[in-house]
């Protein structure tokens, strides 16, 4: 290892890092951080109180890595759930809590629905447990203009995807109906991104609800910023290691959300790898909340972690999210 003293002066001017109350200020990225914060404003307290009460533990996240890191999952993330297609864009949702499951008619309760949304819910298909269309039941439900059979909760996850054995999305949406009318709507906007780095390095304008296509670009930005502030690098032999980034649990002494890293691989790192890991960890632990939004899982839990593969060579730092290897 040796000190890297050859960072361009212009880049240092553009990306100079300041610390505020022990955390990193992202003001050097211009208005992106402010815009991201504005887009991230959403009070999900009631949603967390009624659903998603549990958080996946660090121990379970670690175990999930070793079990699933080399898997490419073929099963649909929508398997077993109703699906909702938004008319005019915004992608597809998995309906975790469906009005069909509380209907008085047993045959309807046993069905899976394919819905559309354009200001109101409408069933496009009603499929029985064998996957056969039930046209008469479908016509009966759609013929009820008052839609009081919708009364109660509708809970959806936008564009869920597999991630280390979990089916996740950063976009929950919780609706409550009374007498066929929507009375509560809680959740992120359809185009909310999973983290600041993805938002700041978007490769395209998102209109269809796709929150995951720029995850690779976001991870690369994270690596670039780490490389620019790092004082260590390798000369010839590259180093690779895998990490779990997660939000540290709040304590009664501190309500601030902070992030940290845990080394996953290699299990027996050499001295240089440990030094690189500790350097990256120091950077991550100064990233302010809510730079990483939680993922919501289809088993009603919160996954507050990311899995990254880090490569350090004489060319710099490359950070890759394992998300892309799971799709």
């Amino acid at each position: 290892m040796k000190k890297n003293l050859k960072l361009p002066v212009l880049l240092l001017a553009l990306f100079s890092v300041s610390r505020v109350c022990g955390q990193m200020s992202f003001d050097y990225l211009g208005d992106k951080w402010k815009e991201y914060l504005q887009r991230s404003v959403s009070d999900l307290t009631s949603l967390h109180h009624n659903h998603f009460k549990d958080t996946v533990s660090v121990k379970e996240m670690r175990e999930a890595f070793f079990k699933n890191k080399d898997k490419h999952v073929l099963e649909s993330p929508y398997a077993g759930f109703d699906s909702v297609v938004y008319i005019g864009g915004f992608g597809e949702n998995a309906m975790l809590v469906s009005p069909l499951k509380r209907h008085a008619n047993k045959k309807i309760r046993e069905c899976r629905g394919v819905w559309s949304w354009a200001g109101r819910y409408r069933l496009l298909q009603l499929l029985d447990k064998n996957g056969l269309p039930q046209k008469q039941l479908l016509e009966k439900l759609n013929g009820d203009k008052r839609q009081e059979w919708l009364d109660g909760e509708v809970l959806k996850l936008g564009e869920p995807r597999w991630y280390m054995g979990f089916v996740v999305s950063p976009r929950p949406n919780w609706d409550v109906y009374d007498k066929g009318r929507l009375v509560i709507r809680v959740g992120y906007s359809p185009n909310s991104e999973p983290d600041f780095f993805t938002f700041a390095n978007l490769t395209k304008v998102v209109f269809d609800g796709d929150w995951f296509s720029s995850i690779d670009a976001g991870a690369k930005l994270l690596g670039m910023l780490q490389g620019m502030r790092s004082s260590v690098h390798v000369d010839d032999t590259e180093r690779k290691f895998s990490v779990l980034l997660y939000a540290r649990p709040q304590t009664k002494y501190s309500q601030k959300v902070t992030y940290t890293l845990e080394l996953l691989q290699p299990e027996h790192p050499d001295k240089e790898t440990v030094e690189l890991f500790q350097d990256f960890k120091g950077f991550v632990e100064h990233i302010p909340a809510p730079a990483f939004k939680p993922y919501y899982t289809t088993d009603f839990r919160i996954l507050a972690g990311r899995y990254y593969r880090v490569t350090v060579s004489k060319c710099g730092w490359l950070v890759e999210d394992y998300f892309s290897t799971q799709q």
Side-chain angles (χ1 to χ4, degrees):
M1 303 287 177
K2 72 177 185 179
K3 300 294 181 182
N4 182 4
L5 302 177
K6 298 181 179 180
L7 290 176
V9 175
L10 177 59
L11 290 179
L12 284 175
L14 289 174
F15 292 94
S16 59
V17 177
S18 61
R19 300 288 171 86
V20 179
C21 298
Q23 290 190 318
M24 185 177 298
S25 169
F26 283 158
D27 292 340
Y28 60 99
L29 286 172
D31 293 331
K32 281 289 186 179
W33 177 244
K34 294 178 182 177
E35 184 180 352
Y36 172 78
L37 290 178
Q38 290 173 351
R39 290 165 63 95
S40 301
V41 174
S42 186
D43 186 359
L44 302 180
T45 304
S46 57
L47 177 63
H48 292 172
H49 180 75
N50 289 276
H51 302 283
F52 304 108
K53 299 177 183 179
D54 296 325
T55 300
V56 180
S57 69
V58 175
K59 180 176 182 292
E60 186 176 350
M61 284 191 285
R62 183 182 178 89
E63 292 172 348
F65 172 80
F66 292 103
K67 183 178 179 181
N68 298 284
K69 63 184 176 66
D70 297 319
K71 290 184 179 180
H72 178 75
V73 184
L74 298 178
E75 182 183 1
S76 170
Y78 295 90
F81 299 107
D82 289 12
S83 57
V84 184
V85 180
Y86 278 70
I87 304 301
F90 308 138
E92 189 174 1
N93 286 234
M95 189 180 284
L96 307 191
V97 177
S98 168
L100 300 180
K101 302 307 177 186
R102 55 177 177 265
H103 200 278
N105 188 326
K106 182 181 178 182
K107 289 184 178 180
I108 292 177
R109 292 200 302 272
E110 293 176 344
C111 287
R112 174 183 177 270
V114 178
W115 306 73
S116 68
W117 168 265
R120 62 188 294 269
Y121 287 106
R122 180 176 177 80
L123 275 167
L124 300 177
Q125 285 185 294
L126 198 61
L127 307 172
D128 67 15
K129 55 186 177 182
N130 296 314
L132 299 176
Q134 299 298 305
K135 293 184 179 180
Q136 289 185 342
L137 291 176
L138 176 65
E139 292 172 359
K140 179 180 179 181
L141 289 172
N142 282 335
D144 183 354
K145 301 303 180 182
R146 298 183 66 182
Q147 284 196 309
E148 291 192 3
W149 58 273
L150 277 176
D151 286 359
E153 300 175 291
V154 179
L155 178 61
K156 309 186 298 290
L157 287 184
E159 293 281 303
R161 289 295 184 271
W162 284 99
Y163 192 41
M164 286 300 170
F166 306 97
V167 179
V168 305
S169 170
R171 295 202 292 107
N173 184 265
W174 184 48
D175 297 334
V176 179
Y177 284 81
D178 182 50
K179 296 181 180 179
R181 294 178 178 272
L182 179 64
V183 293
I184 295 175
R185 165 155 281 196
V186 174
Y188 286 114
S189 62
N191 57 348
S192 58
E193 300 78 18
D195 58 78
F196 166 69
F197 304 97
T198 298
F199 170 72
N201 206 22
L202 282 174
T203 56
K204 67 176 183 178
V205 178
V206 177
F207 292 109
D208 61 356
D210 176 350
W211 54 267
F212 45 81
S213 62
S214 294
I215 282 180
D216 285 344
K220 286 181 173 63
L221 176 60
L222 178 63
M224 184 190 75
L225 295 175
Q226 157 62 12
M228 294 179 68
R229 49 76 58 192
S230 177
S231 60
V232 294
H233 74 288
V234 298
D235 291 324
D236 299 312
T237 305
E238 69 177 20
R239 292 289 192 279
K240 291 180 179 286
F241 56 95
S242 299
V243 299
L244 169 65
L245 183 153
Y246 64 92
R248 285 190 282 204
Q250 297 178 358
T251 68
K252 62 181 180 180
Y253 302 106
S254 175
Q255 294 300 309
K256 290 183 178 179
V257 175
T258 55
Y259 305 102
T260 190
L261 287 184
E262 182 166 326
L263 183 64
L264 298 171
Q265 284 185 326
E267 294 186 49
H268 304 289
D270 58 26
K271 180 180 178 182
E272 288 78 10
T273 301
V274 171
E275 185 178 353
L276 290 166
F277 166 74
Q278 291 295 342
D279 191 61
F280 189 30
K281 183 179 180 182
F283 172 59
V284 167
E285 290 184 345
H286 285 94
I287 295 176
F292 298 92
K293 295 175 184 175
Y295 284 139
Y296 294 82
T297 71
T298 52
D299 64 351
F300 297 97
R301 293 191 292 170
I302 292 176
L303 179 71
R306 302 290 195 274
Y307 298 93
Y308 291 121
R309 178 171 51 214
V310 183
T311 303
V312 191
S313 69
K314 60 183 179 181
C315 296
W317 290 70
L318 173 64
V319 177
E320 300 170 283
D321 197 313
Y322 274 92
F323 179 89
S324 296
T325 68
Q326 305 279 291
Q327 308 311 308

